[in-house]
Amino acid sequence: MQLEFHQIDAFSERPFGGNPAMVYRLESWLDDRLMQQIAAEHNLAESAFVVREAQGWRIRWFTPATEVPLCGHATLASAHVLFEIYGEAAQRIDFLSQSGPLSVTREEGLLWLDFPLRSPRPQVGVEAVERLLGVKVVELLGANELLAVLESEQAVRECQPDMVALAKLPWPGLIVTARGREHDFVSRYFAPAIGIDEDPVTGSTHCCLTPYWARQLDKAQLSAYQCSARGGALFCRLQGERVKIGGHARLIASGHLHL
């Protein structure tokens, strides 16, 4: 059996930037164990699998270690593959997922994710998070992920967390964020508990970052930058109970997996 795959750098206009994702468009679903093995073989932060069902495109996401309920950059990558490689003519692709209906729209030269809003709430344990990060935490919140607000963009960029301690937290991952110098806000995301020490650019974390910074800055449209080693720019819009996250995507490689 041969399966066609495409590797996309999401949230980047150039090669080797943003966040790489592997995308498989399947005729029918593979066994869950096999999809997990494929994701482990590619060893990228996410591998996405999409199948056209009667209700529309269903999407699933796997890290090298586990399936996850929501992933932004691999959804953006999947839409890019369906638009640019498989010739989807519509300006919008609707996905069915574990996190409900999602969509990606081509607009203004960008691909726009339409994701559910996650409102972060205050959390206890600031001292423990400060110890594992080695920096001062201004505010600690949580939604689907733990969110630590730091004093400055420099603190975010220089943060070197204790990954062993971080993996023991009762959260899938930890976001660190601060106001940006050239962007409204910056962030980084660490998730060793699910096999990702640091994710290069994470669309889904902006489901809670966007409402937080929208309140702090009193604006509904924000520019964001995830300042990992690869780095990536995101454009965020708060629209009611939804978050729109815009970005570019770039095809890097295509090939076949032989099973």
Side-chain angles (χ1 to χ4, degrees):
M1 176 171 61
Q2 291 189 40
L3 300 174
E4 188 174 57
F5 63 77
H6 304 282
Q7 183 173 331
I8 305 296
D9 283 349
F11 297 111
S12 180
E13 292 184 274
R14 58 178 177 83
F16 315 125
N19 201 350
M22 198 65 71
V23 179
Y24 284 83
R25 190 198 70 163
L26 305 173
E27 295 302 320
S28 60
W29 289 110
L30 304 172
D31 178 78
D32 286 7
R33 181 171 177 271
L34 178 56
M35 288 190 287
Q36 186 62 73
Q37 288 176 317
I38 291 170
E41 181 73 12
H42 288 303
N43 200 32
L44 297 177
E46 300 286 346
S47 293
F49 300 86
V50 296
V51 172
R52 189 190 291 277
E53 298 181 349
Q55 304 91 340
W57 288 102
R58 185 167 296 278
I59 187 168
R60 297 174 67 181
W61 311 276
F62 290 79
T63 76
T66 188
E67 184 174 8
V68 295
L70 185 65
C71 178
H73 84 276
T75 304
L76 195 84
S78 298
H80 181 79
V81 167
L82 293 175
F83 281 135
E84 303 299 333
I85 297 174
Y86 294 107
E88 285 289 310
Q91 294 302 302
R92 167 173 162 162
I93 294 176
D94 294 298
F95 290 106
L96 307 170
S97 77
Q98 286 188 32
S99 295
L102 311 169
S103 69
V104 183
T105 305
R106 289 191 282 197
E107 178 187 342
E108 301 171 0
L110 297 173
L111 293 176
W112 287 89
L113 301 168
D114 183 337
F115 271 22
L117 179 147
R118 310 287 196 199
S119 294
R121 300 179 182 278
Q123 302 292 320
V124 298
V126 171
E127 295 82 4
V129 174
E130 285 182 332
R131 284 195 298 271
L132 70 86
L133 288 176
V135 295
K136 178 177 176 56
V137 173
V138 175
E139 192 174 3
L140 187 66
L141 307 105
N144 52 321
E145 310 283 355
L146 194 60
L147 173 61
V149 182
L150 307 187
E151 292 184 304
S152 67
E153 178 174 326
Q154 182 176 354
V156 171
R157 288 181 177 273
E158 295 179 354
C159 181
Q160 295 182 327
D162 180 339
M163 293 297 177
V164 174
L166 200 159
K168 295 177 181 177
L169 293 177
W171 296 84
L174 170 64
I175 309 162
V176 295
T177 187
R179 288 197 65 166
R181 295 189 290 260
E182 297 181 6
H183 298 81
D184 289 314
F185 65 91
V186 298
S187 68
R188 292 170 69 192
Y189 177 58
F190 309 99
I194 59 171
I196 307 167
D197 281 355
E198 181 171 3
D199 198 32
V201 189
T202 317
S204 61
T205 58
H206 290 75
C207 293
C208 64
L209 284 164
T210 300
Y212 174 81
W213 285 110
R215 288 195 301 271
Q216 296 298 312
L217 303 177
D218 192 27
K219 57 195 298 189
Q221 299 192 48
L222 304 111
S223 66
Y225 189 78
Q226 192 155 331
C227 46
S228 64
R230 292 174 64 101
L234 308 94
F235 306 89
C236 304
R237 297 175 183 165
L238 187 63
Q239 294 189 347
E241 293 301 309
R242 307 291 292 182
V243 174
K244 298 289 186 72
I245 305 163
H248 297 280
R250 176 72 180 264
L251 174 67
I252 293 299
S254 297
H256 292 87
L257 185 71
H258 301 269
L259 299 175

